[in-house]
C-alpha cells in the first residue's frame, strides 16, 4: 500500500518505534496521521510536530488500547477527524514480568495480554466490517522477534508476542482473499525506552537482547517497515538474522532450545 493520501492510525506513537512510524507515514505523504498513546501529552507533542510540517495532517489522541473501550474511542475519534481508516498499526506494547515464572504476577500477565494481544483483536474487530465492505484495508502490528523465537527472561512477553504473530497470521489467512492486507513487524533490539529501562530493559531480558545482535534505531526500523508495507509483505524483519534463527528453530527444535539455554547461561554469567 502506498501511504500517500491515506489515513493511518499508529498506537504507542508517543515514543520509540511508534513515533518513528508516525513520522515515516507522514513523510511518505499520508493525508491524516493519528498519533495514539496512553501518554496523551506525548501523543499531542508528536502530532504537533507533524502539523508544523503540514497543518491539519495529524492529531494526537490519548488512548488506552489495553481496553476494548479505549480502542473503540480511538477509532471513533480517528474516523471523525479523517474519515475511514486505511491502515491501523497496532504498535503499542508493554514489556513486563521479567525473571522466572514465579516472579511474574497476574498483573504482568493480564496487562501483557491486554496491550500486546487483545488490543490487536479489539481494533481488528472494530475495523474489519467496513474494510470487508470496501474490499480493502490494512492491519499492521508490532510483535517482536520474541514472537517467532522467544524472550529469554520474560514469559509474559514471549507468550503474548507469539500470540500477536499468530493473530496477524490468522487475519491474513482468513481475510487476505477479501482484500485485507496484514503485516507483522518482528524486530530484535531497538534503541527505545522499552529496551533501555523498565522491567525488560533493566533485566536479563534486556541484556539478552543487547547481547544478541545489533540494536537498530527506531527510524531505521520504521523505514524498513514502510518499504515492506508498500510491497504488501507480511513478515517484516528489520534484523535479517532473525529469519536464520527462525529457520533453525523450525529445522531442529531441540537443538535450537539447547542453543537458547546456552545463550541464557552465557548472559547470566557475564
Ligand atoms: N525496543 C525493542 O527492542 C523492541 C523489540 C521488539 C519489539 N518491540 C515492540 O515495539 C513496540 C513499541 O515499543 P518501543 O520499543 O518503541 O518502546 P516504547 O516504550 O518507546 O514505546 C511503547 C509505547 O507504547 C505506549 N503504550 C504502552 N501501553 C499503552 C496502552 N495501554 N495504550 C496506548 N499506548 C500504550 C507507551 O506509552 C509508549 O509510548 C512494542 O510493541 C514492543 O513490544 C520493541
Amino acid at each position: 500500500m502506498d501511504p500517500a493520501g491515506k489515513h493511518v492510525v499508529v498506537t504507542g506513537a508517543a515514543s520509540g518505534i511508534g513515533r518513528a512510524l508516525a513520522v515515516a507515514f507522514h513523510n511518505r505523504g499520508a493525508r491524516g496521521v493519528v498519533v495514539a498513546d496512553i501518554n496523551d501529552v506525548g501523543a499531542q507533542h508528536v502530532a504537533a510536530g507533524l502539523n508544523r510540517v503540514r497543518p491539519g495532517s495529524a492529531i494526537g489522541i490519548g488512548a488506552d488500547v489495553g481496553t476494548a473501550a479505549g480502542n473503540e474511542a480511538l477509532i471513533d475519534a480517528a474516523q471523525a477527524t479523517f474519515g475511514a481508516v486505511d491502515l491501523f498499526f497496532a504498535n503499542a506494547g508493554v514489556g513486563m514480568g521479567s525473571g522466572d515464572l514465579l516472579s511474574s504476577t497476574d498483573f504482568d500477565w493480564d496487562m501483557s495480554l491486554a496491550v500486546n494481544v487483545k488490543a490487536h483483536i479489539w481494533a481488528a474487530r472494530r475495523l474489519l466490517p467496513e474494510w470487508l465492505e470496501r474490499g480493502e484495508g490494512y492491519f499492521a502490528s508490532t510483535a517482536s522477534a520474541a514472537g517467532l523465537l522467544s524472550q529469554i527472561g520474560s514469559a509474559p512477553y514471549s507468550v503474548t508476542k507469539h500470540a500477536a504473530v499468530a493473530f496477524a497470521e490468522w487475519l491474513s489467512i482468513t481475510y487476505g482473499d477479501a482484500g485485507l492486507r496484514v503485516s507483522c513487524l518482528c524486530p530484535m533490539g531497538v534503541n527505545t525506552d522499552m529496551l533501555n529501562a523498565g522491567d525488560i530493559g533493566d533485566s536479563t531480558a534486556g541484556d539478552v537482547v543487547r547481547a544478541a545482535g545489533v540494536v537498530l534505531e527506531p527510524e531505521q526500523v520504521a523505514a524498513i517497515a514502510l518499504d515492506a508495507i508498500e510491497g504488501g509483505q507480511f513478515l517484516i524483519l528489520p534484523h535479517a538474522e532473525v529469519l536464520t534463527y527462525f529457520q533453525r528453530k523450525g529445522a531442529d527444535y531441540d537443538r535450537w532450545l539447547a542453543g537458547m539455554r546456552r545463550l541464557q547461561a552465557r548472559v547470566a554469567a557475564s
Side-chain angles (χ1 to χ4, degrees):
M1 189 194 89
D2 178 359
K6 298 295 196 300
H7 173 193
V8 175
V9 179
V10 185
T11 72
S15 65
I17 298 170
R19 176 173 55 199
L21 287 168
V23 171
F25 278 116
H26 195 260
N27 286 344
R28 294 196 192 193
R31 167 175 65 83
V33 176
V34 176
V35 179
D37 205 289
I38 198 165
N39 171 2
D40 189 10
V41 174
Q44 305 291 346
H45 181 74
V46 173
L50 300 180
N51 282 325
R52 273 196 292 280
V53 178
R54 267 200 326 277
S57 58
I59 52 166
I61 297 181
D64 179 359
V65 298
T67 68
N71 282 275
E72 294 275 333
L74 164 61
I75 294 167
D76 286 348
Q79 289 176 331
T81 310
F82 294 119
V85 174
D86 296 302
L87 182 146
F88 189 94
F89 211 125
N91 165 79
V94 289
M96 305 177 74
S98 56
D100 64 13
L101 182 60
L102 302 180
S103 56
S104 53
T105 63
D106 280 350
F107 178 78
D108 296 330
W109 279 101
D110 292 345
M111 181 72 92
S112 300
L113 282 163
V115 181
N116 294 351
V117 186
K118 291 189 80 176
H120 303 193
I121 299 164
W122 287 317
R125 202 186 261 161
R126 171 69 170 72
L127 288 161
L128 260 173
E130 63 192 66
W131 281 344
L132 295 178
E133 198 179 316
R134 282 165 66 189
E136 61 178 358
Y138 210 122
F139 184 86
S141 59
T142 304
S144 168
L148 300 169
L149 305 167
S150 189
Q151 178 60 63
I152 288 173
S154 175
Y157 197 76
S158 300
V159 171
T160 56
K161 291 299 187 179
H162 271 72
V165 173
F167 181 63
E169 282 172 359
W170 184 89
L171 278 180
S172 178
I173 293 165
T174 309
Y175 299 109
D177 288 343
L180 181 69
R181 290 287 157 272
V182 183
S183 292
C184 187
L185 174 60
C186 293
M188 274 203 306
V190 187
N191 185 20
T192 69
D193 291 348
M194 184 178 286
L195 183 60
N196 297 328
D199 220 11
I200 290 266
D202 293 336
S203 67
T204 308
D207 292 342
V208 168
V209 176
R210 284 183 287 271
V214 175
V215 173
L216 296 178
E217 293 303 318
E219 293 73 20
Q220 295 175 285
V221 172
I224 291 167
L226 264 77
D227 288 348
I229 284 171
E230 288 191 6
Q233 187 182 315
F234 175 78
L235 187 59
I236 308 175
L237 298 178
H239 300 76
E241 62 270 37
V242 172
L243 182 60
T244 307
Y245 302 153
F246 190 41
Q247 286 166 338
R248 284 185 190 152
K249 179 179 178 178
D252 190 338
Y253 224 129
D254 288 300
R255 188 168 177 209
W256 175 80
L257 286 169
M260 291 295 273
R261 285 194 288 267
R262 277 197 302 277
L263 172 60
Q264 177 172 251
R266 227 178 20 248
V267 172
S270 68

